[in-house]
Amino acid sequence: MRIEIKGLAKSYQRKKVFRNISWQLEKGKSYVVTGPNGSGKSTLLRLLCGLEKPTAGTIAFYIGEDIVGPSSLRSNMGLVSPDLQFYGQLSPLENLAFFSVLRGLDKSNDFLQKLLAKVQLGEEMNHPIVTFSSGMKQRLRFAFALLHEPVFLFLDEPFTNLDRAGKDLVNCIIEDQVSKGIVLMATNEPSEVERFGQDILQLAPGSMGPG
């Protein structure tokens, strides 16, 4: 299992975010992309998830020696991002059930309840999300990312707004996902870079690749 990035570049009109990034990520290691604000960390994750298109270069996903095509790639990846929003008047269980059907997933109510318990929201699964704290919403983002049991997991500042119990939860999720597939985290927090950066991509505004 691997991800191959070759000559990747992204620009918005005349502004270069980064260029000429080549990187290979493989199962069994934790990866970190870091750099100052505006260097393209979140943009790189969005490109990997297919939410944006690169200006140049290629991204290829492999399971075994087989390349993962666009039609099946979405079902094999998950993203935790502050951009992910919910229906605030609905409960976590209702949100997960809705998006499960929307994505064509056959997930039972029992599976969804166990997933919410896993992210420490078991007691709040039927409460409206509008009443949730920022930390509870962050836990719910992990439930959404893990809904389809992905092998490629991308995390954009995953520890944001979490208390100690929440951070311990994320540590466990990352450890479990590294054993199953590939995890890439975007963060500027030195302790997170040190802990999870077995392989690190350092970006700077207009970066030409690893620093």
Side-chain angles (χ1 to χ4, degrees):
M1 185 180 301
R2 68 188 188 276
I3 304 171
E4 293 183 356
I5 302 171
K6 295 182 179 179
L8 196 66
K10 181 62 179 178
S11 300
Y12 296 103
Q13 296 180 345
R14 296 183 178 181
K15 180 183 178 182
K16 292 183 175 68
V17 181
F18 51 67
R19 54 187 174 144
N20 197 32
I21 291 178
S22 295
W23 201 17
Q24 181 161 306
L25 298 79
E26 299 181 349
K27 178 182 176 182
K29 292 173 66 177
S30 53
Y31 296 84
V32 168
V33 55
T34 189
N37 294 341
S39 60
K41 301 184 300 298
S42 296
T43 299
L44 177 60
L45 296 192
R46 290 178 63 82
L47 289 171
L48 286 164
C49 291
L51 299 175
E52 295 190 30
K53 293 183 178 181
T55 305
T58 61
I59 303 170
F61 293 81
Y62 293 84
I63 295 179
E65 291 304 313
D66 297 324
I67 194 165
V68 183
S71 60
S72 60
L73 186 56
R74 187 181 176 191
S75 64
N76 282 290
M77 66 169 53
L79 172 66
V80 175
S81 166
D83 294 335
L84 178 60
Q85 302 298 319
F86 318 105
Y87 291 104
Q89 300 303 322
L90 301 181
S91 69
L93 189 58
E94 289 169 330
N95 269 271
L96 286 181
F98 174 76
F99 283 102
S100 177
V101 172
L102 192 65
R103 299 189 67 173
L105 302 174
D106 185 20
K107 299 299 184 183
S108 68
N109 195 61
D110 182 62
F111 174 88
L112 299 179
Q113 290 185 21
K114 288 180 179 178
L115 180 57
L116 288 168
K118 179 179 180 178
V119 298
Q120 303 172 351
L121 291 175
E123 295 183 2
E124 296 85 7
M125 68 173 64
N126 293 309
H127 297 174
I129 294 173
V130 70
T131 66
F132 280 19
S133 68
S134 55
M136 294 165 69
K137 291 177 182 177
Q138 184 69 354
R139 290 189 180 93
L140 185 54
R141 291 186 179 98
F142 273 89
F144 272 78
L146 299 175
L147 179 62
H148 51 294
E149 302 174 276
V151 293
F152 304 108
L153 183 62
F154 304 111
L155 308 174
D156 194 354
E157 306 288 352
F159 293 94
T160 300
N161 298 318
L162 292 176
D163 56 14
R164 172 45 55 191
K167 291 178 180 179
D168 289 343
L169 167 68
V170 173
N171 288 335
C172 291
I173 290 174
I174 292 173
E175 182 178 350
D176 182 53
Q177 286 293 131
V178 167
S179 70
K180 296 177 180 178
I182 293 173
V183 178
L184 172 60
M185 178 192 304
T187 181
N188 278 334
E189 176 57 46
S191 62
E192 296 168 14
V193 174
E194 182 178 0
R195 177 167 185 174
F196 299 105
Q198 292 179 276
D199 197 345
I200 301 169
L201 177 64
Q202 177 75 49
L203 296 179
S207 175
M208 292 187 64

